[in-house]
Amino acid sequence: MRVTFTVNGREETAEDVWEGESLLYVLRERLGLPGSKNACEQGECGSCTVYLDDAPVCACLVAAGQAQGRRVRTVEGLAERGLDPVQEAFVESGAVQCGFCTPGLVVQAHDLLERVERPSDAEIREALAGNLCRCTGYEKILDAVKLAAERKAAAR
């Protein structure tokens, strides 16, 4: 089947997509967007989190055909005009180690900060609960989200 959808503001078409193919596979292998990571393929780790019509989803759980006519925004799409404040904060706070979980965490943190200007620690933990990280111990990730929140609030 052919799947046409908007990815990071550009219309894209994937040809010969089979029915069981995931959105994650199409993004990474067919469209050359490797930012979203393929880790668990079961929606357990959050490494493949992308926006689908402005809602964060695990791209490994979304059939590619479900994206037909819809909008997808990946971690690459957050950096259209340079790094997003969330991406910058992750780098500056040392929240990036191996980097495998980072794209999903960045998208999820970005979504939180679009909804809540200055989230509490509990709100941050709740928002990131579906994203697993084996390297950082999460404290640096919390620091990064707080730093991004401060910067976004100051810029408003």
Side-chain angles (χ1 to χ4, degrees):
M1 90 178 111
R2 172 185 291 168
V3 180
T4 302
F5 56 107
T6 302
V7 181
N8 299 329
R10 293 181 36 205
E11 186 172 289
E12 299 281 358
T13 299
E15 302 285 347
D16 300 320
V17 175
W18 60 279
E19 290 176 8
E21 203 164 300
S22 70
L23 176 59
L24 177 62
Y25 184 88
V26 169
L27 292 170
R28 290 181 55 82
E29 306 301 330
R30 294 181 180 270
L31 301 181
L33 295 168
S36 303
K37 302 301 182 215
N38 185 5
C40 72
E41 295 184 357
Q42 297 176 353
E44 296 291 329
C45 72
S47 294
C48 65
T49 303
V50 299
Y51 283 110
L52 180 61
D53 290 338
D54 301 319
V57 298
C58 289
C60 71
L61 296 180
V62 177
Q66 291 178 284
Q68 175 65 37
R70 298 174 78 183
R71 294 180 325 279
V72 173
R73 190 171 184 199
T74 67
V75 70
E76 292 95 341
L78 297 181
E80 291 173 332
R81 296 177 200 93
L83 290 180
D84 181 84
V86 175
Q87 292 168 316
E88 288 177 353
F90 266 68
V91 172
E92 290 176 32
S93 297
V96 178
Q97 288 189 16
C98 83
F100 216 78
C101 66
T102 306
L105 283 163
V106 165
V107 171
Q108 203 67 47
H110 182 273
D111 179 65
L112 171 64
L113 297 180
E114 290 296 304
R115 295 180 288 108
V116 181
E117 185 173 315
R118 290 195 182 262
S120 67
D121 282 4
E123 289 171 313
I124 295 169
R125 290 176 192 275
E126 174 76 21
L128 302 182
N131 296 76
L132 302 179
C133 175
R134 296 181 186 192
C135 301
T136 65
Y138 298 98
E139 287 305 313
K140 297 290 184 184
I141 294 167
L142 290 172
D143 293 345
V145 177
K146 291 179 207 173
L147 178 59
E150 289 171 18
R151 289 184 176 166
K152 286 183 119 180
R156 289 184 178 147

